[in-house]
Amino acid sequence: MRKSELTLKAVDALEKLYPEAICSLKYKNAFELLIATRLSAQCTDARVNIVTTDLFKTFPDAKSLADANLCDVEVLIRTCGLYKTKAKDLIGIGKMITEKYNNTVPDSIEELTKLPGVGRKTANLICGDIYGKPAVVTDTHFIRLCNRLGLVKTKDPKKVEEAMRKLLPEVKSSDFCHRAVLFGRDICTARKAYCEKCPLNDFCPKLI
């Protein structure tokens, strides 16, 4: 089976399994999603959602975060892990958005990745979920699924992104990434692939 055909089958199967393709992070706007995603590095989305409840009450926008005291930010995000580095990045993000981008979160990967601590994964998420652009978010679950399906043979996030941009329909790429995360948590997990209950079982090459 050709990779393009296999990709479409996977897209269709996950659409049926997860009709609602939603991000696990809670947010109300582009700024909140950007901050929450930066905090999610090496931290669970569930923990981030707890932390951002108080964080966004204290610092509701880029300007307030830009003017924040570093120690105050550290205290609020301490349980997210790597909190010292993340706190500096959050304040840096606030300053750049305020001073360089006129209080507006950028809408391109090129500009987003200029922000402190923001890589292509985060940039793609913002472009896809906020601005409705074609996006490929190379979460660990997504990378694992693409490898097990034989669509890629690399764990390098950028290479996976480049390869999957060619295979995924643009209008479905962002949603497929969200579904891949849910699928990776529920069925095709890192520890074990539950093939017996997998909707991809009929066509997956099972490269586990």
Side-chain angles (χ1 to χ4, degrees):
M1 187 182 299
R2 296 175 61 183
K3 288 184 179 181
S4 56
E5 183 182 357
L6 186 59
T7 300
L8 292 177
K9 282 183 174 291
V11 168
D12 183 60
L14 293 194
E15 280 182 351
K16 293 176 181 176
L17 184 62
Y18 304 106
E20 293 185 12
I22 56 175
C23 179
S24 299
L25 295 169
K26 294 180 181 179
Y27 66 95
K28 296 177 181 177
N29 51 53
F31 168 74
E32 289 189 359
L33 179 58
L34 177 62
I35 297 303
T37 308
R38 177 63 191 97
L39 289 174
S40 69
Q42 297 186 38
C43 182
T44 66
D45 289 353
R47 169 54 56 183
V48 172
N49 289 336
I50 292 172
V51 169
T52 54
T53 298
D54 289 333
L55 180 67
F56 293 148
K57 286 180 181 177
T58 308
F59 306 110
D61 51 35
K63 182 62 169 63
S64 60
L65 193 55
D67 297 335
N69 179 282
L70 180 61
C71 291
D72 291 339
V73 178
E74 288 180 348
V75 169
L76 286 169
I77 69 169
R78 184 180 295 270
T79 59
C80 277
L82 303 175
Y83 69 93
K84 288 186 176 293
T85 298
K86 290 178 180 179
K88 291 178 182 178
D89 285 346
L90 296 196
I91 292 175
I93 288 172
K95 289 181 178 179
M96 280 194 71
I97 291 177
T98 301
E99 299 169 3
K100 184 175 180 179
Y101 298 107
N102 195 30
N103 293 310
T104 301
V105 174
D107 63 355
S108 71
I109 291 177
E110 291 72 26
E111 293 303 313
L112 283 162
T113 51
K114 292 178 182 179
L115 298 171
V118 175
R120 294 187 66 86
K121 174 186 169 184
T122 298
N124 268 283
L125 183 62
I126 298 297
C127 286
D129 279 32
I130 299 298
Y131 296 111
K133 296 184 176 183
V136 177
V137 182
T138 51
D139 175 271
T140 54
H141 299 292
F142 179 82
I143 292 174
R144 180 169 68 253
L145 174 60
C146 292
N147 274 276
R148 288 180 175 178
L149 284 171
L151 299 175
V152 298
K153 292 183 179 180
T154 177
K155 293 184 179 180
D156 181 275
K158 188 173 182 181
K159 290 181 179 179
V160 173
E161 178 192 333
E162 292 172 347
M164 294 309 297
R165 277 187 181 276
K166 297 176 182 178
L167 293 172
L168 285 166
E170 289 187 349
V171 295
K172 297 188 175 185
S173 59
S174 182
D175 285 347
F176 180 74
C177 293
H178 284 311
R179 292 185 173 107
V181 172
L182 298 174
F183 182 69
R185 290 172 178 169
D186 296 343
I187 298 175
C188 200
T189 71
R191 287 188 177 183
K192 179 181 179 181
Y194 296 91
C195 300
E196 67 280 1
K197 62 177 181 179
C198 178
L200 282 60
N201 198 26
D202 290 342
F203 56 84
C204 177
K206 301 177 182 61
L207 302 177
I208 303 169

Coordinates of all heavy atoms in Angstrom, one line a residue, residues 4-81:
S4 N 0.7 7.4 0.7 CA -0.4 8.4 0.6 C -1.8 7.7 0.9 O -2.6 8.3 1.6 CB -0.5 9.0 -0.8 OG -0.6 8.0 -1.8
E5 N -2.0 6.5 0.4 CA -3.2 5.7 0.7 C -3.3 5.3 2.1 O -4.4 5.4 2.8 CB -3.2 4.5 -0.2 CG -4.5 3.7 -0.1 CD -4.5 2.4 -0.9 OE1 -3.6 2.2 -1.7 OE2 -5.5 1.7 -0.8
L6 N -2.2 4.9 2.7 CA -2.1 4.5 4.1 C -2.5 5.7 5.0 O -3.2 5.6 6.0 CB -0.7 4.0 4.5 CG -0.5 3.4 5.8 CD1 -1.5 2.2 6.1 CD2 0.9 2.9 6.0
T7 N -1.9 6.9 4.6 CA -2.2 8.1 5.4 C -3.7 8.4 5.4 O -4.2 8.7 6.5 CB -1.4 9.3 4.8 OG1 0.0 9.0 4.9 CG2 -1.7 10.5 5.6
L8 N -4.3 8.4 4.3 CA -5.7 8.7 4.2 C -6.6 7.7 5.0 O -7.6 8.1 5.6 CB -6.2 8.7 2.7 CG -5.6 9.8 1.9 CD1 -6.1 9.7 0.4 CD2 -6.0 11.2 2.4
K9 N -6.2 6.4 5.0 CA -6.9 5.4 5.8 C -6.8 5.8 7.3 O -7.8 5.6 8.0 CB -6.4 4.0 5.5 CG -6.8 3.4 4.1 CD -6.3 2.0 4.0 CE -6.9 1.4 2.8 NZ -8.3 1.1 2.9
A10 N -5.6 6.2 7.7 CA -5.4 6.5 9.1 C -6.2 7.7 9.5 O -6.8 7.8 10.6 CB -3.9 6.7 9.3
V11 N -6.2 8.7 8.6 CA -7.0 10.0 8.8 C -8.4 9.6 9.0 O -9.1 10.1 10.0 CB -6.8 11.0 7.7 CG1 -7.8 12.1 7.8 CG2 -5.4 11.5 7.7
D12 N -9.0 8.8 8.1 CA -10.4 8.4 8.2 C -10.7 7.6 9.4 O -11.7 7.9 10.1 CB -10.7 7.6 6.9 CG -12.2 7.2 6.9 OD1 -13.0 8.1 6.9 OD2 -12.5 6.0 6.9
A13 N -9.8 6.7 9.8 CA -10.1 5.8 11.0 C -10.1 6.7 12.3 O -10.9 6.5 13.1 CB -9.0 4.8 11.0
L14 N -9.1 7.6 12.4 CA -9.1 8.4 13.6 C -10.2 9.4 13.7 O -10.6 9.8 14.8 CB -7.7 9.1 13.7 CG -6.5 8.1 14.0 CD1 -5.3 8.9 14.4 CD2 -6.8 7.1 15.0
E15 N -10.7 9.9 12.5 CA -11.8 10.8 12.5 C -13.0 10.1 13.1 O -13.8 10.7 13.8 CB -12.1 11.2 11.1 CG -11.2 12.4 10.6 CD -11.6 12.8 9.2 OE1 -12.4 12.1 8.5 OE2 -11.1 13.8 8.7
K16 N -13.2 8.8 12.8 CA -14.3 8.1 13.3 C -14.2 7.8 14.7 O -15.2 7.8 15.5 CB -14.5 6.8 12.5 CG -14.9 7.0 11.0 CD -14.9 5.7 10.2 CE -15.3 6.0 8.8 NZ -15.3 4.7 8.0
L17 N -13.0 7.5 15.2 CA -12.7 7.2 16.5 C -12.8 8.4 17.4 O -13.3 8.3 18.6 CB -11.3 6.6 16.7 CG -10.9 6.1 18.1 CD1 -11.8 4.9 18.5 CD2 -9.4 5.6 18.0
Y18 N -12.3 9.5 17.0 CA -12.3 10.8 17.7 C -13.0 11.9 16.9 O -12.3 12.7 16.3 CB -10.9 11.2 18.1 CG -10.2 10.2 18.9 CD1 -9.1 9.4 18.3 CD2 -10.5 9.9 20.2 CE1 -8.4 8.5 19.0 CE2 -9.7 8.9 21.0 CZ -8.7 8.2 20.3 OH -8.0 7.3 21.1
P19 N -14.3 12.0 16.8 CA -15.0 13.0 16.0 C -14.6 14.4 16.3 O -14.5 15.2 15.5 CB -16.5 12.7 16.3 CG -16.5 11.3 16.8 CD -15.2 11.1 17.5
E20 N -14.3 14.6 17.6 CA -13.9 16.0 18.0 C -12.4 16.0 18.2 O -11.9 15.4 19.2 CB -14.6 16.4 19.3 CG -16.1 16.6 19.2 CD -16.8 17.1 20.5 OE1 -16.0 17.5 21.4 OE2 -18.0 17.0 20.5
A21 N -11.7 16.7 17.4 CA -10.3 16.8 17.5 C -10.0 18.1 18.3 O -10.0 19.2 17.7 CB -9.7 16.9 16.1
I22 N -9.7 17.9 19.5 CA -9.5 19.1 20.4 C -8.1 19.0 21.1 O -7.6 17.9 21.4 CB -10.6 19.2 21.4 CG1 -10.7 17.9 22.3 CG2 -11.9 19.5 20.8 CD1 -11.7 18.0 23.4
C23 N -7.6 20.2 21.4 CA -6.4 20.3 22.1 C -6.7 20.0 23.6 O -7.7 20.5 24.1 CB -5.8 21.7 21.9 SG -4.2 22.0 22.8
S24 N -5.8 19.3 24.3 CA -6.0 19.0 25.7 C -5.7 20.2 26.6 O -6.1 20.2 27.7 CB -5.0 17.8 26.1 OG -5.3 16.7 25.3
L25 N -5.0 21.2 26.1 CA -4.7 22.3 26.9 C -5.9 23.3 26.9 O -6.5 23.5 25.9 CB -3.5 23.1 26.3 CG -2.1 22.3 26.4 CD1 -1.1 23.0 25.5 CD2 -1.7 22.2 27.8
K26 N -6.2 23.9 28.0 CA -7.3 24.8 28.2 C -6.8 26.2 27.9 O -5.8 26.7 28.5 CB -7.9 24.7 29.6 CG -8.5 23.4 29.9 CD -9.1 23.4 31.3 CE -9.7 22.0 31.6 NZ -10.3 22.0 33.0
Y27 N -7.5 26.9 27.0 CA -7.1 28.3 26.7 C -8.3 29.1 26.1 O -9.3 28.5 25.7 CB -5.9 28.3 25.7 CG -6.3 27.7 24.3 CD1 -6.8 28.6 23.3 CD2 -6.3 26.4 24.1 CE1 -7.1 28.1 22.0 CE2 -6.7 25.8 22.8 CZ -7.1 26.7 21.8 OH -7.5 26.2 20.6
K28 N -8.2 30.4 26.2 CA -9.3 31.2 25.7 C -8.8 32.0 24.4 O -9.6 32.6 23.7 CB -9.7 32.2 26.8 CG -10.3 31.5 28.0 CD -10.7 32.5 29.0 CE -11.3 31.8 30.3 NZ -11.6 32.8 31.3
N29 N -7.5 32.2 24.2 CA -7.0 33.0 23.1 C -5.6 32.5 22.7 O -5.0 31.6 23.3 CB -7.0 34.5 23.5 CG -6.3 34.7 24.8 OD1 -5.2 34.3 25.1 ND2 -7.0 35.4 25.8
A30 N -5.0 33.2 21.7 CA -3.7 32.8 21.2 C -2.6 32.9 22.3 O -1.7 32.1 22.4 CB -3.4 33.7 20.0
F31 N -2.7 34.0 23.1 CA -1.7 34.2 24.1 C -1.7 33.1 25.1 O -0.6 32.5 25.5 CB -2.0 35.5 24.8 CG -1.2 35.7 26.1 CD1 0.2 36.0 26.0 CD2 -1.8 35.6 27.3 CE1 0.9 36.2 27.2 CE2 -1.1 35.8 28.5 CZ 0.3 36.0 28.4
E32 N -2.9 32.7 25.6 CA -3.0 31.6 26.6 C -2.5 30.3 26.0 O -1.8 29.5 26.7 CB -4.4 31.5 27.1 CG -4.8 32.7 27.9 CD -6.1 32.5 28.6 OE1 -6.8 31.4 28.4 OE2 -6.6 33.4 29.4
L33 N -2.8 30.0 24.7 CA -2.4 28.7 24.2 C -0.9 28.7 24.0 O -0.2 27.7 24.3 CB -3.0 28.5 22.8 CG -2.6 27.2 22.1 CD1 -2.9 26.0 22.9 CD2 -3.3 27.1 20.7
L34 N -0.3 29.8 23.6 CA 1.1 29.9 23.5 C 1.9 29.7 24.8 O 2.8 28.9 24.9 CB 1.5 31.3 22.9 CG 3.0 31.6 22.8 CD1 3.7 30.7 21.8 CD2 3.2 33.1 22.3
I35 N 1.4 30.3 25.8 CA 2.0 30.2 27.2 C 1.8 28.7 27.7 O 2.8 28.1 28.2 CB 1.4 31.2 28.1 CG1 1.7 32.6 27.7 CG2 2.0 30.9 29.5 CD1 3.2 32.9 27.5
A36 N 0.6 28.2 27.5 CA 0.3 26.9 28.0 C 1.2 25.8 27.3 O 1.7 24.9 27.9 CB -1.1 26.5 27.8
T37 N 1.4 26.0 26.0 CA 2.2 25.1 25.2 C 3.7 25.1 25.7 O 4.3 24.1 25.7 CB 2.1 25.3 23.7 OG1 0.7 25.4 23.4 CG2 2.7 24.2 22.9
R38 N 4.1 26.3 25.9 CA 5.5 26.4 26.4 C 5.7 25.7 27.7 O 6.7 25.0 28.0 CB 5.9 27.9 26.6 CG 7.4 28.1 27.1 CD 8.4 27.5 26.2 NE 9.7 27.4 26.8 CZ 10.2 26.4 27.4 NH1 9.5 25.2 27.5 NH2 11.5 26.4 27.9
L39 N 4.7 25.8 28.6 CA 4.8 25.1 29.9 C 4.7 23.6 29.8 O 5.1 22.9 30.7 CB 3.6 25.6 30.8 CG 3.8 27.1 31.3 CD1 2.5 27.5 32.1 CD2 5.0 27.2 32.2
S40 N 4.1 23.1 28.7 CA 3.8 21.7 28.6 C 5.0 20.9 28.3 O 5.0 19.6 28.3 CB 2.8 21.5 27.5 OG 3.3 21.7 26.2
A41 N 6.2 21.5 28.0 CA 7.4 20.7 27.7 C 7.8 19.9 28.9 O 7.9 20.5 30.0 CB 8.5 21.7 27.3
Q42 N 7.9 18.6 28.8 CA 8.2 17.7 29.9 C 7.3 17.9 31.1 O 7.7 17.8 32.2 CB 9.7 17.9 30.3 CG 10.7 17.6 29.2 CD 12.1 17.7 29.7 OE1 12.5 17.3 30.8 NE2 13.0 18.2 28.8
C43 N 6.0 18.1 30.7 CA 5.0 18.2 31.8 C 3.7 17.8 31.2 O 3.4 17.9 30.0 CB 4.9 19.7 32.2 SG 3.7 19.9 33.6
T44 N 2.8 17.2 31.9 CA 1.5 16.7 31.4 C 0.6 17.9 31.2 O 0.6 18.9 31.9 CB 0.8 15.8 32.4 OG1 0.5 16.5 33.6 CG2 1.7 14.6 32.7
D45 N -0.3 17.7 30.2 CA -1.3 18.8 29.9 C -2.2 19.0 31.1 O -2.6 20.1 31.4 CB -2.1 18.4 28.7 CG -1.3 18.5 27.4 OD1 -0.2 19.0 27.4 OD2 -1.9 18.1 26.4
A46 N -2.5 18.0 31.9 CA -3.4 18.1 33.0 C -2.7 19.0 34.1 O -3.4 19.8 34.7 CB -3.6 16.7 33.6
R47 N -1.5 18.8 34.3 CA -0.8 19.7 35.3 C -0.7 21.1 34.8 O -0.9 22.1 35.5 CB 0.7 19.1 35.5 CG 1.6 20.1 36.2 CD 1.1 20.5 37.6 NE 0.7 19.4 38.4 CZ 0.2 19.6 39.6 NH1 -0.1 20.8 40.1 NH2 -0.1 18.5 40.4
V48 N -0.4 21.3 33.5 CA -0.4 22.7 32.9 C -1.7 23.4 33.1 O -1.8 24.5 33.5 CB 0.0 22.6 31.4 CG1 -0.2 24.0 30.8 CG2 1.4 22.1 31.2
N49 N -2.8 22.6 32.9 CA -4.1 23.2 33.0 C -4.4 23.7 34.4 O -5.1 24.7 34.7 CB -5.2 22.2 32.6 CG -5.2 22.0 31.1 OD1 -4.8 22.9 30.3 ND2 -5.7 20.9 30.6
I50 N -3.9 23.0 35.4 CA -4.0 23.4 36.8 C -3.2 24.7 37.1 O -3.7 25.6 37.7 CB -3.5 22.3 37.7 CG1 -4.5 21.1 37.7 CG2 -3.4 22.8 39.2 CD1 -4.0 19.9 38.4
V51 N -2.0 24.7 36.6 CA -1.1 25.8 36.8 C -1.6 27.1 36.1 O -1.5 28.2 36.7 CB 0.4 25.5 36.3 CG1 1.2 26.7 36.3 CG2 1.0 24.4 37.2
T52 N -2.0 27.0 34.9 CA -2.4 28.2 34.1 C -3.7 28.8 34.7 O -3.9 30.0 34.4 CB -2.6 27.9 32.6 OG1 -3.5 26.8 32.5 CG2 -1.3 27.5 32.0
T53 N -4.4 28.1 35.5 CA -5.6 28.7 36.1 C -5.3 30.0 36.9 O -5.8 31.0 36.7 CB -6.4 27.7 37.0 OG1 -6.8 26.6 36.2 CG2 -7.6 28.4 37.6
D54 N -4.3 29.8 37.8 CA -3.8 30.9 38.6 C -2.9 31.9 37.8 O -2.9 33.1 38.0 CB -3.1 30.4 39.8 CG -4.0 29.8 40.8 OD1 -5.2 30.2 40.8 OD2 -3.6 28.9 41.6
L55 N -2.1 31.3 36.9 CA -1.1 32.1 36.1 C -1.9 33.1 35.3 O -1.5 34.3 35.3 CB -0.3 31.2 35.2 CG 0.7 31.9 34.3 CD1 1.8 32.5 35.2 CD2 1.3 30.9 33.3
F56 N -2.9 32.7 34.6 CA -3.7 33.7 33.7 C -4.5 34.7 34.5 O -4.9 35.7 34.0 CB -4.5 32.9 32.7 CG -3.7 32.1 31.7 CD1 -4.2 30.9 31.2 CD2 -2.5 32.5 31.3 CE1 -3.4 30.2 30.3 CE2 -1.7 31.8 30.4 CZ -2.2 30.6 29.9
K57 N -4.9 34.3 35.8 CA -5.6 35.3 36.6 C -4.6 36.4 37.0 O -5.0 37.6 37.1 CB -6.1 34.6 37.9 CG -7.3 33.7 37.6 CD -7.8 33.1 38.9 CE -9.0 32.2 38.7 NZ -9.4 31.5 40.0
T58 N -3.3 36.0 37.2 CA -2.3 37.0 37.7 C -1.8 37.8 36.5 O -1.5 39.0 36.6 CB -1.2 36.3 38.4 OG1 -1.7 35.5 39.4 CG2 -0.2 37.3 39.0
F59 N -1.5 37.0 35.4 CA -1.0 37.6 34.2 C -1.9 37.3 33.0 O -1.6 36.3 32.3 CB 0.5 37.1 33.9 CG 1.4 37.3 35.1 CD1 1.8 36.2 35.8 CD2 1.8 38.6 35.5 CE1 2.7 36.3 37.0 CE2 2.6 38.7 36.6 CZ 3.1 37.6 37.3
P60 N -2.9 38.1 32.8 CA -3.9 37.8 31.7 C -3.5 38.1 30.3 O -4.2 37.7 29.4 CB -5.1 38.6 32.2 CG -4.5 39.8 32.8 CD -3.3 39.3 33.6
D61 N -2.4 38.8 30.1 CA -2.0 39.2 28.8 C -0.5 39.4 28.7 O 0.2 39.3 29.7 CB -2.7 40.5 28.3 CG -2.6 41.6 29.4 OD1 -1.5 41.7 30.0 OD2 -3.5 42.4 29.5
A62 N 0.0 39.6 27.5 CA 1.4 39.8 27.2 C 2.1 40.9 28.0 O 3.2 40.8 28.5 CB 1.7 39.9 25.7
K63 N 1.4 42.0 28.1 CA 1.9 43.2 28.8 C 2.1 42.9 30.2 O 3.2 43.2 30.8 CB 1.0 44.4 28.6 CG 1.5 45.7 29.3 CD 2.8 46.1 28.6 CE 3.2 47.5 29.1 NZ 3.4 47.7 30.5
S64 N 1.2 42.3 30.9 CA 1.3 42.0 32.3 C 2.4 41.0 32.6 O 3.2 41.1 33.6 CB 0.0 41.5 32.9 OG -0.4 40.3 32.2
L65 N 2.6 40.1 31.7 CA 3.7 39.1 31.8 C 5.0 39.7 31.5 O 6.0 39.4 32.2 CB 3.4 37.9 30.8 CG 4.2 36.6 31.1 CD1 4.1 36.1 32.5 CD2 3.8 35.6 30.1
A66 N 5.1 40.6 30.6 CA 6.3 41.3 30.3 C 6.8 42.1 31.5 O 8.0 42.2 31.7 CB 6.1 42.3 29.1
D67 N 5.9 42.6 32.3 CA 6.3 43.5 33.4 C 6.4 42.6 34.7 O 6.6 43.2 35.8 CB 5.2 44.6 33.7 CG 5.1 45.5 32.5 OD1 6.2 45.7 31.8 OD2 4.1 46.1 32.3
A68 N 6.2 41.3 34.6 CA 6.2 40.5 35.8 C 7.6 40.3 36.5 O 8.6 40.4 35.8 CB 5.7 39.1 35.4
N69 N 7.5 40.1 37.8 CA 8.7 39.8 38.5 C 9.0 38.3 38.3 O 8.2 37.5 38.4 CB 8.5 40.1 40.0 CG 9.7 39.7 40.9 OD1 9.9 38.6 41.2 ND2 10.4 40.7 41.3
L70 N 10.3 38.0 38.0 CA 10.7 36.6 37.7 C 10.3 35.7 38.8 O 9.8 34.6 38.5 CB 12.2 36.6 37.4 CG 12.7 35.2 37.1 CD1 12.1 34.7 35.8 CD2 14.3 35.3 36.9
C71 N 10.6 36.0 40.0 CA 10.3 35.1 41.2 C 8.8 34.8 41.3 O 8.4 33.7 41.6 CB 10.8 35.8 42.5 SG 12.6 35.9 42.6
D72 N 7.9 35.8 41.0 CA 6.5 35.6 41.0 C 6.0 34.6 40.0 O 5.2 33.7 40.3 CB 5.8 36.9 40.8 CG 5.9 37.9 41.9 OD1 6.3 37.5 43.0 OD2 5.8 39.1 41.7
V73 N 6.6 34.7 38.8 CA 6.3 33.7 37.8 C 6.8 32.3 38.2 O 6.1 31.3 38.0 CB 6.9 34.1 36.4 CG1 6.5 33.1 35.3 CG2 6.3 35.5 36.0
E74 N 8.0 32.2 38.7 CA 8.6 31.0 39.1 C 7.7 30.2 40.1 O 7.5 29.0 40.1 CB 10.0 31.2 39.7 CG 11.0 31.5 38.6 CD 12.4 31.7 39.3 OE1 12.5 31.8 40.5 OE2 13.4 31.8 38.5
V75 N 7.2 31.0 41.1 CA 6.3 30.4 42.1 C 5.1 29.8 41.5 O 4.6 28.7 41.9 CB 6.0 31.5 43.2 CG1 4.9 31.0 44.1 CG2 7.2 31.9 44.0
L76 N 4.5 30.5 40.6 CA 3.2 30.1 40.0 C 3.4 28.8 39.1 O 2.4 28.0 39.0 CB 2.6 31.2 39.2 CG 2.0 32.3 40.0 CD1 1.6 33.5 39.1 CD2 0.7 31.8 40.7
I77 N 4.6 28.7 38.5 CA 4.7 27.6 37.5 C 5.7 26.5 38.1 O 6.1 25.6 37.3 CB 5.2 28.1 36.2 CG1 6.7 28.6 36.3 CG2 4.3 29.1 35.6 CD1 7.3 28.9 34.9
R78 N 6.0 26.6 39.3 CA 7.0 25.7 39.9 C 6.8 24.2 39.6 O 7.7 23.4 39.4 CB 7.2 25.9 41.4 CG 8.3 25.1 42.1 CD 8.3 25.4 43.6 NE 8.7 26.8 43.8 CZ 9.9 27.2 44.0 NH1 10.9 26.3 43.9 NH2 10.2 28.5 44.2
T79 N 5.5 23.8 39.7 CA 5.2 22.3 39.6 C 5.2 21.8 38.1 O 5.0 20.7 37.9 CB 3.8 22.1 40.2 OG1 2.8 22.9 39.5 CG2 3.8 22.4 41.7
C80 N 5.5 22.7 37.2 CA 5.5 22.3 35.8 C 6.9 21.7 35.4 O 7.0 21.2 34.3 CB 5.3 23.5 34.9 SG 3.5 23.8 34.6
G81 N 7.9 21.8 36.2 CA 9.2 21.3 35.9 C 10.0 22.3 35.1 O 9.4 23.1 34.3

